[in-house]
Amino acid sequence: MSDLEQIKNILWHEIGHFLIDLIMVENHPKITITELVIRNYECQNVSWCGWVRLEPKADLQYQEVIKNISLTSFKFLSLVSGCLFQTKFGQNDFEFKDCFSFKKTAIGKGDHDKFWELPFQLRVAYSVNEASKKMFYRDLNSIVFNKYFTDILNLTDFKKNLVNIIEREAKIILTDYKREKPIKYAFKFTGIYLQELASELNTLMKKNGFCELIEALHFEIKETLKLNITKNPTPK
C-alpha cells in the first residue's frame, strides 16, 4: 500500500475521533483539542499512525469522566468512531471487527480496550446490580453498534464532502513528507491550521446532519446511563 493510501487510512481514523471530540468540546468548554498528529514512527502493526490530543488530561481520566454522564456518552461515541470512519468510509477492504478488537495486531486495540473499560469503571463506581448491567450493555450495543453504524451510512452528502477533505489533507501531508524526507516524520495540526480544519468540519457536520445524529445518540446513551447506572448521585 502506498504512503498516500496509508496516510488517508489513518486520517479517516483520526478524523473520526476528531469529529466527535469537536462536538464534545462545544458541550464541555473546559476541555480543549490541542493537536491532531499523523506520523510514520513508533506505530504498532502499521506504517502510519496518529492521535488527537485533548487537555487537560486530569479531567479525562476514568475516575473523572464517569462522574459526568454527558462526557461519558461522548467518550463512548468517540472511541468507536476512529475504526468506524476508517472501515466504513475509508478502507473498504478492512472490517470494523479487525480494527476495533482486543487483538494485539488491531489498529484500534487501544480504543477497544478503553471503550470496554468504561462500563467496568461505571459498574464499580455506582455499584450496579446484575439486571441493570445487562440492560445497560443491551442498550449500549444497540445505540452504538447498531443505530450509529446504520444511520451514519445514510449521510451521503456528509461522506462525499469528507472524502474531499481527507484527500486534500493527505496530499498536503505526503507532499510535506516527500520534501522533508526524514527517517521520523510527524505532521501536526496545531494552532491556526487546527482551528481552520475544526471550523470547516464543524460547518460540514452541522450542514449535513452529523451533529444532529450524534446529539440524538448522545441523548440516548445518557438516558440509559441515568436509568441503569447512575442511580447514586455521585460515584463512590
Side-chain angles (χ1 to χ4, degrees):
M1 190 182 296
S2 69
D3 280 319
L4 180 61
E5 290 303 313
Q6 292 182 77
I7 292 168
K8 284 195 290 186
N9 286 337
I10 195 60
L11 266 175
W12 275 113
H13 189 106
E14 298 308 328
I15 289 295
H17 293 308
F18 188 50
L19 291 168
I20 305 298
D21 293 340
L22 285 172
I23 301 173
M24 180 177 72
V25 299
E26 280 198 357
N27 288 268
H28 297 273
K30 290 184 179 180
I31 298 171
T32 60
I33 302 169
T34 58
E35 66 178 6
L36 190 164
V37 176
I38 304 296
R39 73 182 190 186
N40 73 340
Y41 63 95
E42 296 180 8
C43 302
Q44 296 184 350
N45 308 307
V46 289
S47 298
W48 291 82
C49 54
W51 65 79
V52 179
R53 189 179 302 282
L54 300 169
E55 300 287 351
K57 289 183 179 180
D59 291 352
L60 296 164
Q61 300 298 315
Y62 286 120
Q63 63 268 26
E64 294 302 317
V65 170
I66 61 175
K67 294 176 183 177
N68 188 307
I69 62 170
S70 173
L71 192 55
T72 301
S73 301
F74 278 123
K75 293 303 292 182
F76 277 125
L77 292 167
S78 178
L79 287 167
V80 299
S81 290
C83 285
L84 173 61
F85 274 73
Q86 183 176 351
T87 59
K88 300 301 182 183
F89 285 178
Q91 198 172 350
N92 294 329
D93 61 344
F94 193 36
E95 295 291 332
F96 177 81
K97 63 182 176 62
D98 296 320
C99 180
F100 194 77
S101 170
F102 67 91
K103 296 178 182 178
K104 291 182 179 179
T105 56
I107 295 171
K109 173 178 168 50
D111 297 333
H112 170 277
D113 294 351
K114 290 174 185 175
F115 181 96
W116 291 114
E117 179 68 16
L118 266 178
F120 173 77
Q121 295 289 337
L122 286 163
R123 296 197 322 266
V124 172
Y126 290 96
S127 302
V128 180
N129 62 42
E130 190 66 20
S132 294
K133 181 188 80 172
K134 288 180 179 179
M135 291 290 287
F136 177 71
Y137 276 116
R138 183 203 66 183
D139 291 347
L140 186 66
N141 275 283
S142 176
I143 296 164
V144 175
F145 297 109
N146 292 323
K147 188 168 185 180
Y148 185 19
F149 283 35
T150 300
D151 291 354
I152 196 172
L153 296 179
N154 296 325
L155 303 179
T156 54
D157 287 341
F158 174 67
K159 177 184 177 182
K160 187 185 304 181
N161 285 281
L162 202 52
V163 165
N164 294 333
I165 294 172
I166 295 291
E167 294 275 356
R168 181 193 72 208
E169 296 302 324
K171 289 176 182 176
I172 291 171
I173 294 171
L174 182 63
T175 299
D176 187 62
Y177 169 62
K178 286 184 174 180
R179 183 175 60 249
E180 298 288 337
K181 292 185 179 178
I183 296 173
K184 293 183 176 181
Y185 172 82
F187 188 95
K188 297 184 178 182
F189 295 81
T190 57
I192 294 175
Y193 195 48
L194 180 67
Q195 292 172 23
E196 290 175 346
L197 179 62
S199 178
E200 182 179 15
L201 291 173
N202 270 321
T203 299
L204 177 63
M205 289 191 292
K206 291 171 182 176
K207 182 179 178 182
N208 291 282
F210 186 71
C211 275
E212 185 178 352
L213 170 61
I214 295 305
E215 286 164 2
L217 297 170
H218 176 253
F219 175 80
E220 290 188 40
I221 297 174
K222 284 196 303 179
E223 289 302 297
T224 190
L225 280 167
K226 286 190 286 187
L227 181 65
N228 297 300
I229 302 295
T230 59
K231 297 177 182 180
N232 298 323
T234 55
K236 62 182 183 181

